[in-house]
Coordinates of all heavy atoms in Angstrom, one line a residue:
D13 N -135.8 -66.1 58.0 CA -134.7 -66.2 58.9 C -133.8 -67.4 58.6 O -133.0 -67.8 59.5 CB -135.1 -66.2 60.3 CG -136.4 -66.9 60.5 OD1 -136.8 -67.7 59.6 OD2 -137.1 -66.6 61.5
V110 N -131.3 -58.7 35.4 CA -131.3 -57.6 34.4 C -132.7 -56.9 34.5 O -132.8 -55.7 34.5 CB -131.0 -58.2 33.0 CG1 -131.3 -57.1 32.0 CG2 -129.6 -58.7 33.0
A148 N -130.6 -72.4 46.6 CA -130.4 -73.6 45.9 C -129.1 -73.6 45.2 O -128.3 -74.6 45.2 CB -131.5 -73.8 44.9
I167 N -125.7 -66.5 53.6 CA -126.7 -65.8 52.7 C -128.0 -65.4 53.4 O -128.5 -64.3 53.2 CB -127.0 -66.8 51.5 CG1 -125.7 -66.9 50.6 CG2 -128.1 -66.2 50.6 CD1 -125.8 -68.0 49.6
H222 N -133.9 -80.9 34.6 CA -135.1 -81.8 34.5 C -135.5 -81.9 33.1 O -135.6 -80.9 32.4 CB -136.1 -81.1 35.4 CG -137.2 -82.1 35.8 ND1 -137.0 -83.4 36.2 CD2 -138.5 -81.9 35.9 CE1 -138.1 -84.0 36.5 NE2 -139.1 -83.1 36.4
L287 N -160.1 -75.6 38.0 CA -159.4 -76.1 36.9 C -157.9 -76.5 37.2 O -157.4 -77.5 36.7 CB -159.4 -75.1 35.7 CG -160.7 -74.9 35.0 CD1 -160.7 -73.8 34.0 CD2 -161.2 -76.2 34.4
V385 N -148.7 -64.7 66.1 CA -150.1 -64.3 66.1 C -150.5 -63.5 67.4 O -151.3 -62.6 67.3 CB -151.0 -65.6 66.0 CG1 -152.5 -65.3 66.1 CG2 -150.7 -66.3 64.7
A460 N -159.6 -49.3 54.0 CA -160.2 -48.5 52.9 C -161.7 -48.5 53.1 O -162.4 -47.4 52.7 CB -159.9 -49.1 51.5
V500 N -153.8 -73.6 64.2 CA -154.5 -74.8 64.6 C -154.4 -75.9 63.5 O -154.2 -77.1 63.9 CB -156.0 -74.5 64.9 CG1 -156.8 -75.7 65.1 CG2 -156.1 -73.5 66.1

Side-chain angles (χ1 to χ4, degrees):
D13 35 21
V110 173
I167 293 170
H222 200 39
L287 290 175
V385 177
V500 172

